[in-house]
Amino acid sequence: MEALKNLPPMTEWFPDLKRPIVISGPCSAETEEQVLETCKRLAATGTVDMLRAGIWKPRTRPNNFEGIGSIGLKWLHKAKVATGLPITTEVATAAHVQEALKHGVDVLWIGARTTVNPFSVQEVADALKGVDIPVLIKNPINADLDLWIGAIERVQQAGVSQIGAIHRGFAKYGEKQYRNAPQWQLPIELKRRFPNLPMICDPSHICGNRHMLQEVSQEALDLNYDGVMIESHIDPDNAWSDAKQQVVPERVAEMINDLVLRNNLPQNGEASGLSAFRNQIDLYDQEIMNLFAQRMGVAQKIGEFKKENNMSILQTKRWEEILGNAFKKGRKLGLSEAFIEKYLKAVHQESIDQQNAVMNKK
Ligand code: PEP
Ligand code: MN
């Protein structure tokens, strides 16, 4: 655990790295031309620090493109030579690690479907013993922080000294807005426990679309992330995997240039722990606000119902019931009666005002 508190910053992994660190390239290597052209166009924008391409693709359903295999590493290596940029790929087995090392891959990453399985993570970690290459560990598919930390520890205990985490969102049944719900509180808590752990956001797999990439990338930077990993393709609509979320290389550059880098980076571990707490508070406040808006929406519907049925707004018995239930629940949660009463009175008053507004509408 101690070693994870003293990790080197990602900007020290390679010369000339500055925040935000940008990793981009296709979801999957498909053809030599596609890999080379995507990477050269990315490099030409001057905004990208590292090139990515998936070589072995763990697919949710069978009969999808499962990756081009080792030949893709040769193309990725050509892209490295042509652009002078470091390259990275996903590894899930010891054989993948060996192949990647043989082809001069500079950084490895462990994918979300691998992080969930300690056997697989341990196999990769064992293959890394005696090889000090930087490794990025994606969050597991499910929102289990310990599983994520466990994978990071396995890699660290194999002797890897340059480690970072990638936040790519979490599978959530019924989730509509995102492909993988960001659940920011998990990476924030990880960062609170290990303030020096580099953190990269993967908006491509969080969003699953193109139109939210910018917004999610900005949210990540506002939470002091070190950088982003964004999928790009020369012909996104016809990509063999993740077509909906990939963008052309020039669009990556545009997004990066539009990102606002707020310079409130705390300088030491203690301060960054504090800022993680503050981020947590901000997220909760945002959630509370959303819930208030939803609650008021329901209050308006009640107003309409009472209007139609000619009922009075204030129903004393109901109000006493709300208050009594809240006191009981609040006690269990460690909230004082005085606070609950103050809070509920304010909310109740606003509800009444909203209902009044509805009832007095001609
Ligand atoms: C990918 O980066 O293309 C990928 C498969 O990501 P994840 O492991 O996050 O699903
Ligand atoms: Mn992908």
Side-chain angles (χ1 to χ4, degrees):
M1 285 301 231
E2 269 319 293
L4 286 180
K5 296 210 162 124
N6 296 308
L7 291 168
M10 202 166 160
T11 45
E12 285 175 15
W13 287 11
F14 300 103
D16 306 324
L17 280 186
K18 275 204 301 289
R19 187 173 169 266
I21 293 160
V22 180
I23 306 170
S24 188
C27 174
S28 305
E30 299 166 6
T31 66
E32 179 167 351
E33 190 209 355
Q34 169 249 9
V35 172
L36 277 174
E37 201 183 325
T38 308
C39 293
K40 283 184 192 166
R41 275 168 56 181
L42 283 168
T45 69
T47 54
V48 173
D49 302 290
M50 205 184 295
L51 301 167
R52 64 152 279 159
I55 300 296
W56 304 281
K57 303 302 294 181
R59 305 309 297 273
T60 302
R61 306 280 298 272
N63 310 322
N64 284 323
F65 175 57
E66 303 217 314
I68 204 78
S70 293
I71 186 153
L73 289 172
K74 293 201 168 58
W75 309 334
L76 195 55
H77 188 261
K78 279 192 184 171
K80 169 176 165 168
V81 173
T83 61
L85 291 173
I87 54 175
T88 179
T89 199
E90 172 177 350
V91 290
T93 66
H96 293 166
V97 173
Q98 265 115 43
E99 279 296 287
L101 293 175
K102 209 166 77 189
H103 288 88
V105 172
D106 301 281
V107 173
L108 303 175
W109 90 76
I110 295 180
R113 290 164 191 78
T114 304
T115 306
V116 287
N117 185 344
F119 286 138
S120 300
V121 175
Q122 195 56 54
E123 178 181 329
V124 170
D126 289 342
L128 287 169
K129 283 192 180 135
V131 195
D132 203 6
I133 184 172
V135 180
L136 292 162
I137 296 125
K138 286 202 177 196
N139 66 255
I141 297 268
N142 55 325
D144 184 336
L145 183 56
D146 277 339
L147 204 49
W148 196 0
I149 293 175
I152 295 169
E153 285 171 335
R154 285 177 199 278
V155 171
Q156 188 271 317
Q157 284 175 18
V160 175
S161 61
Q162 293 160 300
I163 295 178
I166 301 179
H167 170 217
R168 51 79 77 200
F170 302 88
K172 202 166 157 200
Y173 186 66
E175 167 68 48
K176 300 235 160 55
Q177 194 182 0
Y178 299 98
R179 177 176 173 193
N180 291 291
Q183 310 217 62
W184 297 99
Q185 58 277 33
L186 276 103
I188 286 173
E189 175 59 18
L190 183 62
K191 200 70 187 141
R192 191 187 66 77
R193 292 201 212 167
F194 306 106
N196 292 329
L197 176 68
M199 181 74 73
I200 295 289
C201 177
D202 171 350
S204 302
H205 292 90
I206 289 178
C207 300
N209 62 43
R210 295 171 194 151
H211 66 274
M212 286 180 344
L213 295 174
Q214 174 90 45
E215 181 188 322
V216 169
S217 303
Q218 185 64 59
E219 273 183 272
L221 283 200
D222 291 348
L223 290 168
N224 283 345
Y225 280 42
D226 298 275
V228 288
M229 180 193 256
I230 300 177
E231 288 185 341
S232 59
H233 194 287
I234 44 169
D235 183 8
D237 285 336
N238 293 305
W240 299 359
S241 61
D242 289 352
K244 285 197 196 127
Q245 69 199 31
Q246 302 206 58
V247 292
V248 292
E250 293 70 27
R251 177 68 197 130
V252 174
E254 222 169 67
M255 285 193 287
I256 300 305
N257 289 328
D258 285 346
L259 286 175
V260 184
L261 201 57
R262 297 182 227 282
N263 244 339
N264 57 349
L265 258 182
Q267 292 307 307
N268 59 52
E270 199 181 321
S272 89
L274 179 62
S275 83
F277 281 137
R278 286 183 173 149
N279 288 328
Q280 235 164 350
I281 292 276
D282 290 348
L283 284 174
Y284 283 129
D285 282 344
Q286 208 177 311
E287 240 166 83
I288 290 170
M289 213 72 87
N290 284 340
L291 289 173
F292 275 149
Q294 286 174 40
R295 193 189 192 283
M296 293 311 159
V298 177
Q300 285 168 6
K301 288 207 184 98
I302 291 180
E304 277 156 25
F305 183 91
K306 285 180 179 167
K307 184 180 183 180
E308 270 161 32
N309 294 283
N310 205 19
M311 291 165 76
S312 71
I313 288 186
L314 186 63
Q315 311 264 316
T316 319
K317 232 179 98 203
R318 169 75 183 137
W319 167 234
E320 276 165 12
E321 190 184 293
I322 290 178
L323 214 52
N325 284 340
F327 284 159
K328 241 189 276 166
K329 282 212 184 93
R331 216 172 293 132
K332 280 198 197 131
L333 294 169
L335 299 168
S336 77
E337 271 189 20
F339 168 69
I340 290 185
E341 189 168 352
K342 249 192 280 178
Y343 144 76
L344 269 183
K345 267 192 181 149
V347 172
H348 188 236
Q349 186 57 53
E350 178 65 15
S351 279
I352 288 176
D353 291 350
Q354 299 265 350
Q355 290 184 35
N356 256 327
V358 171
M359 290 182 89
N360 294 328
K361 213 164 54 192
K362 293 271 149 50

